[in-house]
Amino acid sequence: MPILDEVGGFEFEEVMCNVFRNLGYEDVERSRRTADKGRDITMIDSSSNGQNTAVVVECKHTDTVGRPVIQKLDSAVRTYDYDGPKRGMIATTGRLTNPAIKYAEKVGIEIFDGQRLREVADNVGMDLYNGRVEIVTDNVLQPPHSQDLLDEFYKAIDRIKYLSPDDVPEPFTTISLHPVNAVVTNTTRVFETGAGVIHTVNDTNQFVIDGTSSNLKGLPDELNEIVSEYELNSDIHEINEDRYEDVVDNINRRRFEGTDQEFREWVKQQEVDRLTETVTYTGDNNQTYSKECVPSADDVTVEMLQPFYVSRVDASIKMNRRTYAIDWFATDDDAWIMDNTIEKCRFAEEGRGGIDTIPAAATAIRESLGSPTYAFCPECKTIVAERHMRHDEVTGDPVCVECSVGDRFVGAKKHFRSEETRQQYENEVAEKGIVEKLSINKTGVAAVTLILLAAMFFLFV
């Protein structure tokens, strides 16, 4: 088991604490580095015939464990102060000698050797085979229903004017399982001086940290908001990837970048920093003193480090060599959009936001209120802001300003989807009378009329 050779005895105790917690033991506590009296870990087994049994664990990071170690542990169990049944357990990365095995069986010491640790680690989400204590899990936060998985994609498509879902190719869809860790810590420390106790820390904290950064960090704001909506005790379930095989092209499990030990060490340091406090106190000489009270990492117990995933869905399509995509964090009843390139204007992407003339008044008002709308041009098969869309004067069909055939009639700019409809409109205008022709440019006629009225007013005043 080469991985555990990379950790020291103290770190091995931390690994075993994590294993025991995942196995369902309660009140798992690691003793101080010194004066543990042969009791490295103490915990409660509540599954023993409905009666709580204290378990005293001796951890040995060594190749072999001899009989003297078992004798010492047996003594530690007998002298352990607990009102109720109690038993001992030896946990080692290696194996026990035959005399040690026989003595353990005689006095009722449970054996948790390297072989058993390999087997159990797989069941509690720890990979001990590939050179690191890697976190692995099948748990996910409220996995989305497969039949509703693409709802956000088609909602975005439905918001695009002139684009029917029937005209859209089937999206390429990926579920990326984003790793996070739920953490519960307990920190206890009493600070004393010659004047007595000056500060006490007795703190429990619950939070969630990101699992994707090798540098380790807290959870991004978006994920923190998502996770805070749920009860982690009841809303984390095992993922069934088979349920998505008909709607998803790829499922990607992102790796937990930190090892179990690295995450625990980082968490402890965060708690040390958070709980460090400068206090003032009065000494025996009635002088006021100031002291920085800094808990140590040993004062922080990581009672829970629960790994799980949050589902992130990405759905993309290609139209006219352009890719349109939307990706979002998804649960069974909610979605948080992270990026949306479906509702994005091609002209704006190309730095041509000012193309054409002043936008239509209604569209301009909507966009000024923060609700831009988008439309699909059937000619170039791209999505643009609605202000860049026009309609063929003959057929009424939509067309973007770049694809349209433009021409001026009685001073008014008109748009067409083809030269054929432009020519048809020109022929129709040629057959109109003077008044009908003037009606083509209502805005121009109105402006000229106002100018004439204003001139007449100033002439006769």
Side-chain angles (χ1 to χ4, degrees), residues 116-250:
R116 184 181 176 190
L117 179 56
R118 290 185 184 92
E119 296 168 354
V120 169
D122 286 340
N123 296 327
V124 298
M126 296 173 61
D127 181 1
L128 302 179
Y129 296 94
N130 65 355
R132 50 186 255 152
V133 185
E134 184 175 4
I135 296 177
V136 292
T137 182
D138 288 322
N139 292 329
V140 65
L141 180 66
Q142 288 287 45
H145 298 296
S146 57
Q147 63 269 26
D148 304 326
L149 189 69
L150 294 177
D151 280 0
E152 295 306 312
F153 172 80
Y154 286 108
K155 284 178 184 177
I157 293 297
D158 286 341
R159 289 192 292 267
I160 306 299
K161 291 189 173 183
Y162 320 123
L163 180 60
S164 168
D166 295 335
D167 298 329
V168 173
E170 184 175 331
F172 182 88
T173 307
T174 298
I175 294 179
S176 293
L177 297 176
H178 188 100
V180 296
N181 285 303
V183 180
V184 176
T185 62
N186 184 272
T187 306
T188 304
R189 175 70 182 270
V190 176
F191 295 89
E192 295 182 83
T193 67
V197 176
I198 62 170
H199 184 58
T200 300
V201 176
N202 189 4
D203 180 90
T204 298
N205 193 20
Q206 301 180 39
F207 52 100
V208 182
I209 59 176
D210 195 10
T212 61
S213 172
S214 57
N215 296 321
L216 305 186
K217 59 184 178 182
L219 205 63
D221 291 340
E222 304 91 346
L223 264 179
N224 195 50
E225 178 183 350
I226 294 169
V227 175
S228 64
E229 296 287 326
Y230 293 90
E231 293 290 337
L232 300 185
N233 290 334
S234 58
D235 292 331
I236 295 178
H237 307 285
E238 185 173 344
I239 190 169
N240 179 7
E241 295 186 8
D242 293 341
R243 69 192 291 194
Y244 300 110
E245 61 181 7
D246 293 333
V247 291
V248 171
D249 297 285
N250 185 39

Side-chain angles (χ1 to χ4, degrees), residues 336-396:
W336 290 262
I337 306 298
M338 303 305 293
D339 192 23
N340 182 352
T341 59
I342 294 176
E343 295 175 279
K344 188 171 286 188
C345 178
R346 171 171 66 92
F347 296 140
E349 282 185 330
E350 296 171 354
R352 297 189 292 157
I355 194 169
D356 202 33
T357 56
I358 299 174
T363 304
I365 292 173
R366 284 197 299 271
E367 294 199 358
S368 68
L369 295 175
S371 301
T373 54
Y374 299 89
F376 178 72
C377 175
E379 291 297 306
C380 60
K381 291 182 169 46
T382 58
I383 295 171
V384 299
E386 190 184 5
R387 67 175 179 271
H388 300 312
M389 292 298 294
R390 299 296 182 263
H391 290 83
D392 189 294
E393 289 292 330
V394 176
T395 65

